[in-house]
Amino acid sequence: MTVKIEAKDLTKVYPSRNGPICALRDFSLRVEEGEFVCIVGPSGCGKSTFLRILGGLITPSSGRVELFPRDEKAPLQNIVFQEYAIFPWKTVLDNVAFGLEMRGVPRTKRRETARDWIRKVGLAKFADAYPHQLSGGMKQRVSIARAFANDPEILLMDEPLGALDAQTRVILQGELVRLWEASRKTVVYITHSIEESVLLGDRIVLMTAHPGTYKTEFSVPFARPRSFELTGAPEFARLSYAIWQELEVEVKRTMEKQL
Amino acid sequence: MSGSCWRMASCTRDRLISVFFPLALLALWEMAVRLQWLDGRFFPAPTAVAAALWELTVKGELLGKLWLLPGLVAAGDFSGARKVFAEGHLWVSLFRIFSGFFVGAVPGIILGVVMGMNRTIRVALDPVVSAVYVLPKIAILPLVMLVFGIGEVSKIVIVAIASFFLVLINTTVGVRDIEPIFIEAGRNYGANRRQMFRHIIIPAALPIIFSGLRLSLGTSLIVIIAAEFVAANYGLGYLIWFSWQTLLTENMFAGLVVIMILGALFTSGLQALERRLMPWQREEMPASADGADVGGTGKV
């Protein structure tokens, strides 16, 4: 196995009116190529900050992070944002083709690729629609297709299904698992749903309450391809519960601080 | 404008009401003047106003002596043709409004984007902009005339100043209020500076920029009428003012009617432009529940 992501002692401190706030403290993580790593933690634990550091949107206050490209010309990483990050002023087709357009891929070629991915996420009939004509689940499919169409080596997913209702979420989890298993890209997946992380991930990293840092990790032994059926298995419930036992104390600490 | 109506029957009913009620008001007005409940010298009957409007048009005061145009153009006398328009109150006001609007709005948008993007420039200019913004623009007309004289330029400049600040402030707000996540998405997908402007900043701020344009076009109309009251020999404002001084109240009302029509045309013109430039803003029902055709999802 080759190392794809190496983060060492990452700390991010934000200035604020009430003095500096430490969003992330001494966080280290190594991700192998082709691995699907889920990061789970209570809200405000800095998991989104970590993802944005990986995505090059935030520079850490200290520590270092390295992503190892296989192909220098291909895009290295892209973020799958939540649904509201797709551009309302672009059609579904132009949203999905966005990364390709920024890289200067010719119009016919990028439209062809985008249409292909729009079809794969089941939105073929909506290629020329604008986002306001779509439901939340459909918008999230656009956001996922936008990242896959750009074909980066690493996918960074920032609670991509967090804003969806429970039923739509189950459908999209299934689709995401299927898309990923076909491509086997390296994935860092932020979520606060334990079930989602067990269903999707190869490895689950838990973070502590604020200021967030590494707490512990679990490896997920279930065979692939996986589907929602897995959530009915006793081993699935046992692993989810074991993770919850570790996480519970952190969640309670977070809640106490908010009171 | 009648609001949204869903059923055909209530739609027709709404439309009928919205047409007939104003007509009934006009009829009532007409009757009131004829029965001498209202003094026709101050409130001329609608028919008298319509007659005055017709009179102003055929005499060439409102639109200029348009019937001279073919002859002048045929004779190659283009300065004469221009003079025809320069003697029509409507054209004169329209020219002042649009040239001032253009001269003010374009730099307003450009500086607004710069102020929205650059914190230093914003902090430096904000107090100046806010201070000048609250000043009623017509109040600086004497100053403008001192600098630019009493000719056409002053009128264009005063409209430009009024437009500039409204567009500037709206554009700045529009650019500042762009959701940071759109900027992040642009950066993460490798947009360079130029692409960032074209694909994210301009379209994201466009709805607010447009509300600035709408406001400033309305304000331009107010400002030019007021300026023409005091310092002009042509223009709709002059027409109203002169009619008042000579007690030709029918002409005064005719001027008001023309301004009302102008205002309505400006509004609907901008709305049409907005629909064209921002198709994503069109009101439409979102697809029901989660309408994605899951069945059509091919194997990857």
Side-chain angles (χ1 to χ4, degrees):
Chain A
M1 276 298 205
T2 46
V3 177
K4 195 72 186 171
I5 301 172
E6 175 88 73
K8 198 98 186 99
D9 302 323
L10 287 179
T11 296
K12 179 65 189 177
V13 181
Y14 289 105
S16 91
R17 216 163 289 172
N18 311 320
I21 290 177
C22 185
L24 191 68
R25 200 186 54 202
D26 297 329
F27 185 76
S28 299
L29 183 72
R30 174 181 290 171
V31 180
E32 306 283 340
E33 175 144 21
E35 198 180 12
F36 196 126
V37 175
C38 291
I39 299 180
V40 182
S43 47
C45 76
K47 49 194 192 301
S48 243
T49 303
F50 173 62
L51 196 89
R52 278 171 163 67
I53 292 174
L54 291 184
L57 299 174
I58 295 178
T59 40
S61 310
S62 68
R64 60 181 179 81
V65 62
E66 231 176 316
L67 310 180
F68 301 96
R70 196 174 346 109
D71 177 359
E72 293 288 349
K73 272 169 280 172
L76 182 53
Q77 51 81 18
N78 280 126
I79 300 179
V80 176
F81 293 93
Q82 287 198 357
E83 44 152 304
Y84 54 80
I86 62 170
F87 304 121
W89 52 86
K90 286 182 182 288
T91 60
V92 167
L93 186 65
D94 287 338
N95 261 294
V96 174
F98 181 69
L100 300 164
E101 188 174 2
M102 294 305 103
R103 287 200 278 130
V105 175
R107 188 183 162 91
T108 351
K109 179 84 190 74
R110 67 172 186 255
R111 296 207 144 200
E112 191 185 316
T113 310
R115 277 194 195 282
D116 200 33
W117 280 100
I118 290 169
R119 192 179 45 76
K120 281 175 188 165
V121 297
L123 290 176
K125 278 186 280 180
F126 297 90
D128 297 316
Y130 284 97
H132 75 271
Q133 297 164 291
L134 307 180
S135 68
M138 292 157 81
K139 285 184 203 165
Q140 194 54 60
R141 287 184 164 97
V142 175
S143 186
I144 291 168
R146 176 169 71 179
F148 273 95
N150 203 34
D151 199 22
E153 293 181 23
I154 301 170
L155 282 170
L156 305 171
M157 307 209 189
D158 186 16
E159 299 194 41
L161 311 183
L164 302 179
D165 67 85
Q167 289 155 19
T168 311
R169 202 172 166 137
V170 168
I171 302 284
L172 260 77
Q173 282 168 350
E175 291 184 14
L176 209 50
V177 138
R178 191 173 45 74
L179 288 177
W180 179 78
E181 283 171 355
S183 69
R184 296 281 172 158
K185 289 175 183 299
T186 310
V187 174
V188 176
Y189 190 103
I190 305 286
T191 178
H192 46 235
S193 161
I194 293 172
E195 279 72 23
E196 190 165 292
S197 67
V198 177
L199 178 62
L200 298 175
D202 295 323
R203 182 154 63 104
I204 298 166
V205 174
L206 290 194
M207 286 180 75
T208 65
H210 174 89
T213 188
Y214 179 93
K215 182 179 170 81
T216 183
E217 66 177 59
F218 294 83
S219 73
V220 184
F222 307 124
R224 293 183 187 271
R226 294 183 196 161
S227 72
F228 192 68
E229 205 184 324
L230 178 63
T231 60
E235 308 85 60
F236 183 92
R238 256 200 297 279
L239 180 56
S240 300
Y241 183 63
I243 295 171
W244 172 245
Q245 280 180 310
E246 289 285 339
L247 192 62
E248 188 177 15
V249 44
E250 303 301 331
V251 173
K252 283 186 171 159
R253 265 178 58 201
T254 305
M255 289 169 83
E256 275 158 22
K257 269 185 202 160
Q258 285 164 346
L259 287 177
Chain B
M1 282 285 150
S2 57
S4 56
C5 46
W6 298 100
R7 282 176 309 135
M8 219 33 223
S10 63
C11 208
T12 321
R13 187 176 151 274
D14 286 4
R15 220 169 273 158
L16 283 177
I17 293 176
S18 73
V19 169
F20 277 102
F21 185 70
L23 283 180
L25 275 184
L26 285 178
L28 190 69
W29 181 354
E30 182 79 32
M31 200 175 73
V33 176
R34 300 219 168 178
L35 296 174
Q36 295 187 336
W37 299 342
L38 268 177
D39 188 339
R41 289 171 304 173
F42 298 151
F43 302 100
T47 47
V49 173
L53 201 54
W54 174 251
E55 199 67 0
L56 284 170
T57 310
V58 296
K59 277 189 184 160
E61 284 192 49
L62 193 59
L63 305 175
K65 296 189 173 73
L66 291 176
W67 55 89
L68 297 178
L69 270 184
L72 288 167
V73 172
D77 182 2
F78 290 107
S79 72
R82 233 184 61 202
K83 202 161 159 271
V84 168
F85 288 108
E87 286 173 352
H89 294 304
L90 178 64
W91 307 128
V92 171
S93 291
L94 277 180
F95 174 75
R96 289 168 179 160
I97 290 171
F98 281 111
S99 38
F101 177 69
F102 185 77
V103 169
V106 171
I109 291 175
I110 293 169
L111 187 60
V113 170
V114 172
M115 278 178 71
M117 299 284 290
N118 186 310
R119 192 187 161 83
T120 313
I121 296 176
R122 182 168 64 242
V123 172
L125 292 183
D126 224 17
V128 184
V129 172
S130 310
V132 181
Y133 173 70
V134 294
L135 200 66
K137 295 308 161 305
I138 199 69
I140 53 172
L141 182 62
L143 176 63
V144 171
M145 291 200 298
L146 210 58
V147 178
F148 294 97
I150 51 166
E152 273 321 274
V153 180
S154 292
K155 280 130 206 152
I156 292 170
V157 167
I158 195 84
V159 172
I161 290 173
S163 305
F164 173 77
F165 283 99
L166 277 167
V167 173
L168 172 67
I169 286 177
N170 275 277
T171 306
T172 307
V173 170
V175 171
R176 272 199 73 181
D177 283 359
I178 295 175
E179 290 288 341
I181 197 141
F182 293 141
I183 310 279
E184 288 187 334
R187 280 176 56 199
N188 185 256
Y189 283 83
N192 60 31
R193 221 181 146 72
R194 195 179 50 80
Q195 289 170 324
M196 207 72 171
F197 267 98
R198 191 168 114 60
H199 292 276
I200 293 162
I201 289 163
I202 296 300
L206 208 53
I208 315 240
I209 294 178
F210 248 92
S211 67
L213 291 177
R214 207 171 327 132
L215 279 174
S216 78
L217 199 51
T219 308
S220 298
L221 193 57
I222 298 173
V223 167
I224 202 61
I225 298 296
E228 287 170 350
F229 276 175
V230 294
N233 293 320
Y234 286 102
L236 294 170
Y238 169 78
L239 172 66
I240 291 172
W241 196 258
F242 181 77
S243 308
W244 166 70
Q245 286 181 319
T246 52
L247 264 176
L248 292 166
T249 38
E250 293 90 347
N251 286 1
M252 200 172 90
F253 274 85
L256 294 180
V257 169
V258 174
I259 291 172
M260 278 162 65
I261 294 170
L262 268 192
L265 285 180
F266 285 178
T267 309
S268 57
L270 268 178
Q271 272 170 355
L273 191 64
E274 253 174 279
R275 273 197 300 274
R276 241 195 111 71
L277 284 178
M278 296 181 278
W280 68 89
Q281 292 252 315
R282 251 172 239 170
E283 289 283 324
E284 246 165 290
M285 303 293 284
S288 62
D290 195 61
D293 48 332
V294 179
T297 309
K299 283 276 175 282
V300 183

